[in-house]
Amino acid sequence: MPTAVLTDRERTAVQAYLRLLHTVRAAFGDEEGREGALLSGARLSGTSHDRLPPVVPPSVLAEAERALADAGLTGNEEEFFRLLHSWCPGA
């Protein structure tokens, strides 16, 4: 398997994506469901339909979008995910 050497901007884009991925997993994940619900402002009493959906902080999403644009990867998901999997195979 060839090893990719990422530029600083590509590495920043991958790191921003991984932060976004971890944030989404924390918000929607079963293991941290209670914490994710608290972070989103959901009410913990009552039935599940009473809870607000988890929210990803706009700053995390904006960081990922900005990093993709700076690396020239906006609209080029295939190249981005190739870089992502070469640098972080389990993501």
Side-chain angles (χ1 to χ4, degrees), residues 3 5 16 20 22-23 36 41 43 45-46 52 54 58 61-62 69-70 72-73 84-85:
T3 302
V5 176
L20 175 61
H22 292 232
T23 300
R43 294 183 305 273
S45 61
L52 298 173
L61 186 55
D70 290 348
L73 295 168
L84 174 67
H85 290 295

Side-chain angles (χ1 to χ4, degrees), residues 32-83:
E32 298 181 43
R34 182 177 172 87
E35 288 180 28
L38 287 172
L39 290 173
S40 71
R43 294 183 305 273
L44 291 176
S45 61
T47 60
S48 62
H49 69 274
D50 289 337
R51 295 184 185 165
L52 298 173
V55 176
V56 174
S59 61
V60 175
L61 186 55
E63 175 194 18
E65 290 176 344
R66 199 171 36 255
L68 285 172
D70 290 348
L73 295 168
T74 300
N76 193 352
E77 291 83 7
E78 184 177 344
E79 176 65 14
F80 172 73
F81 284 110
R82 185 189 65 74
L83 291 170

